[in-house]
């Protein structure tokens, strides 16, 4: 039940993070801003996560984990209520930033809690289950939130997420056990983990992987509507299909990561690059675009549990900080990706070039991951020799 409680919270968080992609046209029209400006709501949220994760982790390092998770969820709920009542685009941008502040620390602390309440050989699966909340959000939360936003207005989407956040808070209060902070090390000591080459490489892998994915995914609704020719009502079931693929791929990847962390990460990134490259060609044909979106969903988050477990493994002295920093890296990648996608659109290449640019960026992430895997092998060989 503890993992289910955490998954309900990540479901709410994942819904609010990705729901903006589905309601970009509605927000754009209602607040009288361009699609690219509305896309900055994705960037702003991601920056909030990137800043909030290490900052709140540093401030709350000695707080008992259950109490911390409850406080973070309350902050999350407040942020989404502010989004729902936002009178202007600028207010909405700030409110998204507030909602995002709790995101990274919750995922970081939640991943560590999940890894502590299961046997060692099931830790990657437990972490994957936490991130499955995000996958399920893409199956149920984002499509349903998109539908609600299209029928009742985009503000109703954020009210719905606020209710989900309250339910998650209640579930944590009832089912998550108290987890005492074992080490009371100073922040300066924990920051020493950043000197590790393997930790640095993992953070770079995480950033680059999400730069590629979100350069395209941020603009998936405009792509499907303006290029493929789908109506607004048809976007919801397509996002649902993407979410189904995401859940299946994430669950399978979590099981694989229990045994082989880096091959799982590299395999997921490779499939994602292939899917986005294929989308560049299939985006003009409806049935082919839908099948490609499903394949993309299967691959998109396949590397996430592997990289999250890798950084916890490589930063044994400061798992909470390292885990939160990796969530920051995820969202820094999202911010950069959505911004680069906007740049591609407005630089003259247009929407159709976005999947191709995303593919190129993901290939760079694969190259870094291969280098990191090679470094792991070198270190292991040296260790065995000694």
């Amino acid at each position: 039940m503890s993992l289910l409680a955490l998954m309900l919270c990540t479901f709410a968080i994942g819904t609010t993070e990705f729901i903006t992609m589905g309601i970009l046209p509605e927000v754009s029209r209602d607040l009288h801003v361009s699609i690219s400006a509305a896309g900055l709501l994705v960037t702003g949220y991601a920056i909030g996560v990137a800043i909030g994760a290490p900052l709140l982790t540093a401030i709350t390092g000695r707080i008992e984990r259950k109490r911390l998770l409850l406080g973070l969820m309350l902050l999350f709920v407040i942020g989404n209520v502010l989004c729902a009542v936002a009178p202007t685009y600028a207010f909405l941008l700030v409110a998204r930033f507030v909602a995002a502040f709790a995101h990274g620390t919750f995922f970081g602390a939640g991943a560590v809690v999940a890894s502590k309440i299961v046997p060692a050989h099931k830790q990657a699966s437990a972490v994957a289950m936490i991130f499955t909340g995000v996958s399920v959000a893409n199956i149920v939360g984002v499509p349903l939130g998109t539908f609600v936003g299209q029928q009742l207005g985009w503000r109703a989407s954020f009210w719905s997420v606020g209710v989900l956040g309250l339910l998650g808070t209640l579930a944590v209060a009832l089912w998550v056990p108290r987890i005492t902070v074992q080490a009371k090390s100073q922040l300066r000591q924990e920051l020493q983990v950043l000197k590790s080459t393997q930790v640095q490489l993992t953070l770079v892998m995480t950033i680059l992987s999400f730069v590629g994915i979100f350069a395209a995914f941020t603009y998936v609704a405009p792509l499907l509507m303006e290029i493929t020719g789908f109506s607004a009502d048809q976007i919801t079931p397509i996002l649902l299909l993407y979410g189904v693929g995401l859940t299946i791929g994430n669950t399978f990847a979590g099981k694989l990561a229990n045994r082989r962390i880096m091959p799982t990460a590299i395999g997921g990134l490779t499939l994602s690059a292939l899917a986005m490259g294929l989308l560049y060609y299939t985006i003009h044909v409806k049935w082919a675009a839908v099948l490609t979106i499903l394949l993309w969903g299967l691959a998109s988050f396949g590397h996430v549990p592997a990289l999250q477990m890798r950084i916890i493994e490589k930063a044994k002295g400061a798992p909470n900080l390292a885990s939160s920093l990796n969530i920051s890296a995820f969202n820094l990648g999202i911010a950069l990706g959505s911004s680069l996608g906007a740049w591609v659109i407005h630089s003259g290449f247009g929407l159709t070039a976005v999947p191709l640019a995303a593919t190129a960026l993901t290939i760079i992430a694969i190259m870094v991951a291969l280098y990191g895997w090679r470094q792991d092998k070198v270190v292991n060989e040296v260790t065995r020799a000694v």
Side-chain angles (χ1 to χ4, degrees):
M1 295 302 287
S2 297
L3 291 177
L4 287 176
L6 294 172
M7 192 174 77
L8 177 58
C9 292
T10 58
F11 170 74
I13 293 171
T15 298
T16 204
E17 179 171 22
F18 300 124
I19 200 172
T20 312
M21 287 77 159
I23 58 175
L24 276 185
E26 287 72 26
V27 174
S28 173
R29 285 195 301 268
D30 188 48
L31 297 182
H32 308 293
V33 296
S34 67
I35 283 290
S36 59
L40 290 178
L41 293 171
V42 178
T43 305
Y45 187 94
I47 291 173
V49 177
I51 295 173
L55 181 60
L56 287 184
T57 299
I59 294 173
T60 62
R62 299 188 180 187
I63 297 178
E64 188 271 322
R65 298 296 91 179
K66 179 175 180 176
R67 184 183 302 175
L68 172 61
L69 295 177
L70 288 171
L72 293 170
M73 285 306 298
L74 288 175
L75 178 60
F76 170 80
V77 171
I78 291 170
N80 280 281
V81 169
L82 290 174
C83 288
V85 300
T88 64
Y89 170 75
F91 190 100
L92 178 59
L93 194 61
V94 173
R96 287 280 289 170
F97 188 85
V98 171
F101 230 62
H103 179 133
T105 304
F106 187 93
F107 271 87
V112 173
V113 169
S115 68
K116 288 183 180 296
I117 58 180
V118 298
H121 66 283
K122 293 184 177 180
Q123 288 181 344
S125 292
V127 172
M129 188 171 180
I130 301 301
F131 284 94
T132 295
V134 179
S135 303
V136 176
N138 280 277
I139 293 180
V140 180
V142 174
L144 184 58
T146 299
F147 177 77
V148 168
Q150 290 170 346
Q151 301 301 314
L152 303 177
W154 60 267
R155 297 177 189 278
S157 299
F158 288 110
W159 281 117
S160 301
V161 172
V163 172
L164 284 174
L166 284 176
L167 292 175
T169 304
L170 180 61
V172 170
L174 292 175
W175 295 328
V176 173
R178 293 176 61 86
I179 304 290
T180 304
V181 180
Q182 295 179 346
K184 295 186 177 181
S185 59
Q186 298 296 318
L187 177 60
R188 183 181 300 175
Q189 293 174 319
E190 291 192 353
L191 288 174
Q192 296 299 311
V193 73
L194 293 177
K195 293 183 178 180
S196 167
T197 301
Q198 296 302 321
V199 169
Q200 293 169 5
L201 280 172
T202 304
L203 292 174
V204 172
M205 290 177 216
T206 299
I207 292 170
L208 291 175
S209 67
F210 276 85
V211 168
I213 291 170
F214 277 84
F217 188 62
T218 299
Y219 301 96
V220 67
L223 272 168
L224 292 171
M225 291 171 64
E226 296 182 26
I227 306 301
T228 316
F230 286 108
S231 66
D233 291 340
Q234 292 173 313
I235 299 302
T236 295
I238 295 173
L239 291 177
L240 174 63
L241 188 65
Y242 176 87
V244 169
L246 202 66
T247 301
I248 295 172
N250 190 59
T251 302
F252 184 63
K255 294 182 182 299
L256 289 178
N258 282 323
R259 299 188 296 271
R260 303 291 299 277
I261 290 179
M262 287 308 295
T264 300
I266 293 167
L269 288 171
T270 301
L271 287 175
S272 187
L274 289 172
M276 289 186 292
L278 185 61
L279 187 63
Y280 175 74
Y281 296 99
T282 62
I283 195 65
H284 302 281
V285 182
K286 287 185 175 181
W287 67 266
V290 171
L291 288 179
T292 307
I293 291 291
L294 173 60
L295 174 61
W296 189 19
L298 287 167
S300 288
F301 275 30
H303 64 292
V304 172
L307 291 183
Q308 194 68 13
M309 280 308 302
R310 187 178 196 266
I311 200 158
I312 291 174
E313 178 185 281
K314 300 298 181 183
K316 296 184 183 299
N320 288 287
L321 179 61
S323 183
S324 294
L325 284 171
N326 206 41
I327 301 300
S328 289
F330 287 143
N331 285 274
L332 180 57
I334 291 172
L336 291 172
S338 59
S339 297
L340 284 171
W343 178 84
V344 169
I345 293 170
H346 287 284
S347 63
F349 297 105
L351 271 171
T352 52
V354 168
L356 195 61
T359 302
L361 291 165
T362 305
I363 290 172
I364 296 173
I366 294 168
M367 294 171 65
V368 174
L370 287 169
Y371 175 76
W373 190 21
R374 174 57 185 164
Q375 290 298 106
D376 279 346
K377 291 181 177 181
V378 170
V379 171
N380 290 336
E381 289 172 2
V382 170
T383 302
R384 284 196 297 268
V386 173

